[in-house]
Amino acid sequence: MDTELFPRARGEIAPGAVHVPDWLDAREQRDLLDACRDWARPPAGLRTVRTPGGGTMTARQVCLGWHWYPYDYARTVVDGDGAPVKPFPAWLGELGRRAVTDALDAEAARGAAYDIALVNFYDGDARMGMHRDGDEKADAPVVSLSLGDTCVFRFGNTAARTRPWTDVELRSGDLFVFGGPSRLAYHGVPRVHPGTAPPELGLTGRLNITLRVSGLRSASGCGS
């Protein structure tokens, strides 16, 4: 139950970057969580991402539509069990276009054929360093949906990983969309607040579902 005196306000964090609090209602959050649990199962399930330098990401990940690995796309889990990537469901693409329409406008959503989902799971100690979503061949807005624990989402600039940036609190059900002049802005998650998920959701940790348009045409193999 919401005990806040005032509802959290929608905010434009930068040109083309908009935060919409409580965009997913309780039922939509439960439905999306159920889907994430199915996607996390092997084959091509939740995995630890290893970087070319030998490091590992603390957030674990599963992909839909195209499999992302640093720093490219493939149709199979080339850095894991080798299984074909799980399909990207049509309803998720519709959700992405609705999100862009609500956050930006209908024109920004027009023709956005979302075909990639990156689902990241954060436990209380997980972080995500500042990075850009720059491996796609299309410039459609990125859609980010949050489930579970609250996090600090750091949204920066397009020139460097350093300041200026803005820290935004993302809670379960929140939507964040960035496109246009902010499409290639650096962003990251410096902190997760454990134990802040809605109890009725039954989730320990945080899930972030990021939707993208690949712009890739290859039916198999690497997308580069």
Side-chain angles (χ1 to χ4, degrees):
M1 184 167 138
D2 191 353
T3 58
E4 291 185 287
L5 184 59
F6 300 106
R8 293 181 298 144
R10 163 199 181 101
E12 185 179 54
I13 308 306
V18 175
H19 173 217
V20 184
D22 304 313
W23 187 73
L24 294 171
D25 64 26
R27 180 190 57 80
E28 290 171 321
Q29 291 180 55
R30 288 194 301 270
D31 290 348
L32 188 54
L33 175 58
D34 288 345
C36 288
R37 285 174 167 151
D38 286 339
W39 298 329
R41 296 188 180 103
L46 197 67
R47 81 196 198 285
T48 298
V49 182
R50 291 174 173 80
T51 64
T56 58
M57 288 171 49
T58 54
R60 289 180 288 163
Q61 186 179 93
V62 62
C63 304
L64 309 176
W66 286 90
H67 177 78
W68 180 82
Y69 64 102
Y71 296 97
D72 211 339
Y73 285 103
R75 286 297 199 187
T76 58
V77 186
V78 294
D79 59 345
D81 61 10
V85 67
K86 286 182 166 71
F88 183 93
W91 63 264
L92 199 55
E94 293 169 4
L95 186 68
R97 286 184 289 277
R98 179 164 67 89
V100 173
T101 298
D102 288 355
L104 301 176
D105 53 52
E107 184 59 32
R110 197 182 313 279
Y114 287 94
D115 59 346
I116 297 171
L118 271 55
V119 181
N120 289 314
F121 174 72
Y122 295 77
D123 62 21
D125 296 322
R127 306 286 184 269
M128 185 74 72
M130 297 293 279
H131 65 284
R132 295 198 292 187
D133 297 346
D135 297 322
E136 300 76 39
K137 307 300 182 187
D139 60 0
V142 174
V143 173
S144 173
L145 298 165
S146 294
L147 296 175
D149 284 341
T150 298
C151 81
V152 175
F153 180 66
R154 180 162 290 168
F155 195 77
N157 62 85
T158 58
R161 292 179 173 85
T162 53
R163 293 179 185 273
W165 61 54
T166 301
D167 285 348
V168 182
E169 184 179 79
L170 295 184
R171 302 185 193 176
S172 194
D174 283 8
L175 165 68
F176 197 98
V177 173
F178 54 100
S182 291
R183 173 59 180 81
L184 292 178
Y186 285 92
H187 55 281
V189 177
R191 189 178 309 112
V192 174
H193 298 296
T196 53
E200 64 274 15
L201 199 58
L203 174 61
T204 300
R206 174 180 186 258
L207 282 167
N208 171 238
I209 301 92
T210 299
L211 309 181
R212 310 177 188 180
V213 176
S214 72
L216 304 172
R217 294 189 299 271
S218 174
S220 62
C222 182
S224 62

